[in-house]
Amino acid sequence: MKFYSLIYFLFTISVSFAQTPSALKFPVLEHASPQEVGMSPERLNKIDSMISTEVNQGNIPGAVALIARNGKIVYHKAYGMANNEKNVKMEKDAIFRIASQTKAITSTAVMMLWEEGKFQLDDNISKYIPEFGEATVLDTYNEKDGTYTTKPAKNQITIRDLLTHTSGIGYGEIDGDPRFKKIYANAGITDLFTTKNITIEESVKKLAKLPLHHEPGEAFTYSEGLDVLGYFIEIISGMPFDEFLRTRIFEPLNMDDTWFYQPKKNYNRLVTVQKKENDQWIKYPVTFYDTDYPIKGSKTFFSGGAGLSSTAKDYAKFLQMYLNNGEYNGIRLLSRTTVRSILGNQIGTIWNGPKHHGLAFSLVNEKGEIEGGLGSAGTFEWGGYFNTQYFADPKENVIGIIMKQTRGPVNDVTGWKFKQMLFASIDD
């Protein structure tokens, strides 16, 4: 009887493991030694020395860097100062304005609703936001008085166009075309961030009336399309955009420090945006926005393209979910089939270089892998306006994040060096 009891016990244990949520397969990010996941401690130390040197030489005021492989954090360090004028030291849990790193999170939210059958990617956005009506393309512009003429577009803006920055919508203040900077300013479009009492609905409805750079779907123009999709998410989900992200992404992934507007308990962890002046790091002044927007002002503008602030570890959880094919800690946000679509080339030959663009990220292609220093083909990445970078390589199952907060001219080489040296640290 004891033998059969043992067999039954082992059988029930095996069934239990088979039925356990995939948290066993895809654990939460935990710390481990580099050797455990095939990383060289000696080569990681060279990264540590590189970043320390850049801080000591005054090329950056401070940074937080994180490296994870196979779901294990093997490197997470803070360097320099979060605020030089006030002598505030950088800490590993420091909160950074992640700006355009918001875009991938917004895109993920869109694709979660797509999985629920709420819309098709090639639906016209005007189907859901009627203000977009019939698209027009800028034809002529009068520099003297700011007037312009348009011509009807042959195509209409689709949701896919907005996700891939091929809609033709511009980016106002940071637009590469000075005509669009003026057109957007005159129309009262809110670019990037604000402390004013404005909503994304108000700004997007103004934006919808303006001309496009080019025919939708025919070129890549970095745009406010993800702000449009933030408002689109509100329409489709029936809840405020910030609430959707909080309940559907941040809480499931335990991204407790990721917010559009930080709670008061986190105010002292927000890194100051700094610039170099007379060989000193000082707080970046108020320009067309106030860098203190995550902790002051009306706190009503939930920018899907640029509004979030977060920590390196929180963002690593988001990237690990993608490396886990849409799942993290036993909770599935996306199907692996959806992840495959998101990480596929969605813009054809519009880019003819080492990268292409998917539905949420830029992606290294075979040419980029061969060139070296960018990761394997399929590595997905992006960065942010205030000097933050991230990348994740599904083939090597590795994540790299380096966060800084600077504006203005800066002699910063840590972005490319960090990536290049990280891939050189793989040792298995």
Side-chain angles (χ1 to χ4, degrees), residues 35 101 105-106 132 154 157 180 201 232 238 267 273 326 352:
Q35 297 95 326
Q101 292 188 201
I105 294 174
T106 301
F132 275 92
K154 294 178 292 184
I157 299 171
F180 280 86
E201 176 183 0
F232 169 76
Y267 283 10
V273 178
N352 185 25

Side-chain angles (χ1 to χ4, degrees), residues 353-356 363-372 375-378:
K355 301 174 185 177
H356 52 247
L363 300 120
V364 176
N365 56 31
E366 290 184 5
K367 181 179 179 181
E369 179 176 7
I370 293 169
E371 286 184 4
S376 309

Side-chain angles (χ1 to χ4, degrees), residues 108-124:
T108 299
V110 169
M111 295 307 292
M112 291 170 71
L113 290 168
W114 175 82
E115 285 191 330
E116 296 173 7
K118 303 291 188 183
F119 56 89
Q120 292 183 292
L121 288 177
D122 293 314
D123 284 348
N124 292 342

Side-chain angles (χ1 to χ4, degrees), residues 120-136:
Q120 292 183 292
L121 288 177
D122 293 314
D123 284 348
N124 292 342
I125 190 62
S126 59
K127 179 179 179 180
Y128 306 95
I129 308 176
E131 285 79 6
F132 275 92
E134 297 296 316
T136 62

Side-chain angles (χ1 to χ4, degrees), residues 116-161:
E116 296 173 7
K118 303 291 188 183
F119 56 89
Q120 292 183 292
L121 288 177
D122 293 314
D123 284 348
N124 292 342
I125 190 62
S126 59
K127 179 179 179 180
Y128 306 95
I129 308 176
E131 285 79 6
F132 275 92
E134 297 296 316
T136 62
V137 179
L138 182 64
D139 189 17
T140 66
Y141 182 79
N142 189 325
E143 290 285 352
K144 293 181 179 179
D145 59 11
T147 59
Y148 57 85
T149 63
T150 64
K151 55 186 177 182
K154 294 178 292 184
N155 306 318
Q156 298 303 306
I157 299 171
T158 68
I159 296 164
R160 192 188 304 271
D161 292 334

Side-chain angles (χ1 to χ4, degrees), residues 224-266:
E224 295 187 32
L226 275 298
D227 281 38
V228 175
L229 289 173
Y231 176 46
F232 169 76
I233 288 167
E234 292 191 336
I235 293 170
I236 297 298
S237 69
M239 67 174 71
F241 181 39
D242 65 326
E243 184 180 333
F244 185 91
L245 293 187
R246 172 71 33 206
T247 57
R248 297 290 301 276
I249 296 179
F250 301 151
E251 289 178 356
L253 295 183
N254 295 323
M255 294 173 66
D256 300 329
D257 291 324
T258 305
W259 300 80
F260 283 107
Y261 300 103
Q262 289 288 332
K264 286 186 178 180
K265 65 178 182 178
N266 291 348

Side-chain angles (χ1 to χ4, degrees), residues 99-100 103 169-196 198-200 202-204 206-207 210 213 222-225 227-228 261 287-291 293 301-307 385-386:
S100 286
K103 289 179 170 66
I169 292 172
Y171 224 137
E173 183 64 32
I174 65 169
D175 202 296
D177 188 328
R179 299 174 302 171
F180 280 86
K181 285 187 180 183
K182 294 172 184 176
I183 290 171
Y184 278 44
N186 290 338
I189 305 301
T190 302
D191 301 312
L192 305 174
F193 340 97
T194 187
T195 52
K196 297 177 182 177
I198 299 170
T199 67
I200 50 174
E202 291 168 341
S203 188
V204 167
K206 293 177 184 177
L207 179 64
L210 301 183
H213 278 258
Y222 200 47
S223 80
E224 295 187 32
D227 281 38
V228 175
Y261 300 103
T287 55
F288 68 96
Y289 65 94
D290 185 335
T291 57
Y293 65 87
F301 190 70
F302 307 128
S303 170
Y385 184 76
F386 296 105

